[in-house]
Structure formats: structure tokens, C-alpha cells
Amino acid sequence: MPFRIGHGFDSHRLAVGEGMRLGGVWIECEYRLVAHSDGDALIHALCDALLGAIAGGDIGRLFPDHDAAHKGQDSGVFLREVMCRVRAAGYAVGNADLTLVAQSPKMAPHAPAIVATLARELGVDASAVNFKAKTNEGMGHLGRKEGIAAYAVVLLQRVDPPPSV
Ligand code: MG
């Protein structure tokens, strides 16, 4: 099949802290993410979208949160492993579209760095990665800053001929 599509979702709780990594970019703010790894929900959603597209399961199965090796893990490591699997399956990323729902922190100043970082990891031009952040208009647990949520959609293209692995 020349194209495969995948969707991913992730969420993490917020706690008082000194910052968090989202989309592989460190963001200084008055919160931190509660997680076994670094809690980069944006990368976790992206990993699940990529794995979804190759019918490769999900990030929780690949990197169990009861595994001490993943404690405080930079989620970029997860993304690089997932991209290895995408390439091994014979696919390259066509484009990726990511949405973060967060009442805080303010994400707009960080968008260019997030797009550049993720494009590099995915092996695509920055024009193939879209990142948008929204508040939840103050509604519900996201609006009360109890957590953040992230959604990702990716399109993969068959590489012809497939890389030798
Ligand atoms: Mg997660």
C-alpha cells in the first residue's frame, strides 16, 4: 500500500514545577509533567500515530512505564526507536499534524523550535510538520490546568525500493 495513516493521543497530569519538555523542546514555566518518562505528551502522541500507521502497536507496549530504564527518559529516544521501525517497515513520513491542548504553558513562542525539532527527527522538511496549540477555553480538567493532552496524525509514504534492514 503506497500510503498509511496513523492517529495518536496522549495526556499527562500537570504539577507545580519548573518546566517541561514538549515536542523535544524544553519550556520553562511554573508547571511540570507527572510521568514515568519525561512526559512529553506531544512526542508520545506522535509515536503512537507512527506506530498506528505501521500497525506496530503502541508506545506503552514498546516502552512499559514499569521499566526502570525509562524513568525520566528523554522521549526523543522513544521517537528515534519508533522511526527505526517505520523505516524498517519500508515507509517514510509524508507529513505530520499535531495538536496540543493546554491551558498553560503558552506554546506559541515555542512552535518554531518544536516544528524544527520534530521535522529533524522525522526526516522531513519543516513544511511537512504542523504544530498547533489550543487552550480548552477554561473548561474541564484541561481548563483547570490539571493536565495537558496531545493529538497527532501522520501520513506515511511507501519508500520504493524499501531500505535494506
Ligand atoms: Mg505519555
Side-chain angles (χ1 to χ4, degrees):
M1 197 187 302
F3 298 105
R4 305 274 299 206
I5 193 167
H7 170 260
F9 167 80
D10 195 42
S11 61
H12 280 284
R13 282 190 290 126
L14 287 173
V16 173
E18 295 179 343
M20 64 189 71
R21 192 154 41 219
L22 283 171
V25 173
W26 182 255
I27 294 162
E28 275 186 31
C29 61
E30 64 273 32
Y31 295 95
R32 65 181 173 86
L33 293 167
V34 179
H36 184 68
S37 68
D38 66 359
D40 191 331
L42 209 50
I43 283 186
H44 296 176
L46 179 56
C47 285
D48 267 358
L50 291 162
L51 289 169
I54 60 169
D58 62 74
I59 190 174
R61 221 186 300 170
L62 247 53
F63 311 107
D65 63 8
H66 53 75
D67 187 337
H70 303 139
K71 188 158 175 54
Q73 178 73 269
D74 175 351
S75 293
V77 172
F78 300 154
L79 182 53
R80 286 188 276 282
E81 169 60 29
V82 168
M83 278 305 298
C84 282
R85 289 171 184 243
V86 168
R87 293 187 180 104
Y91 287 91
V93 173
N95 73 300
D97 187 17
L98 300 115
T99 303
L100 185 78
V101 185
Q103 202 70 36
S104 185
K106 289 280 174 248
M107 296 301 297
H110 307 288
I114 289 172
V115 167
T117 300
L118 296 180
R120 190 175 62 243
E121 297 285 1
L122 296 174
V124 297
D125 188 79
S127 63
V129 177
N130 190 57
F131 167 69
K132 48 203 179 303
K134 311 168 73 72
T135 69
N136 208 41
E137 299 287 342
M139 296 182 290
H141 60 286
L142 297 175
R144 290 190 297 271
K145 304 181 183 178
E146 293 172 11
I148 62 168
Y151 301 85
V153 175
V154 299
L155 184 73
L156 302 184
Q157 294 172 295
R158 186 86 192 161
V159 176
D160 194 27
S164 55
V165 290

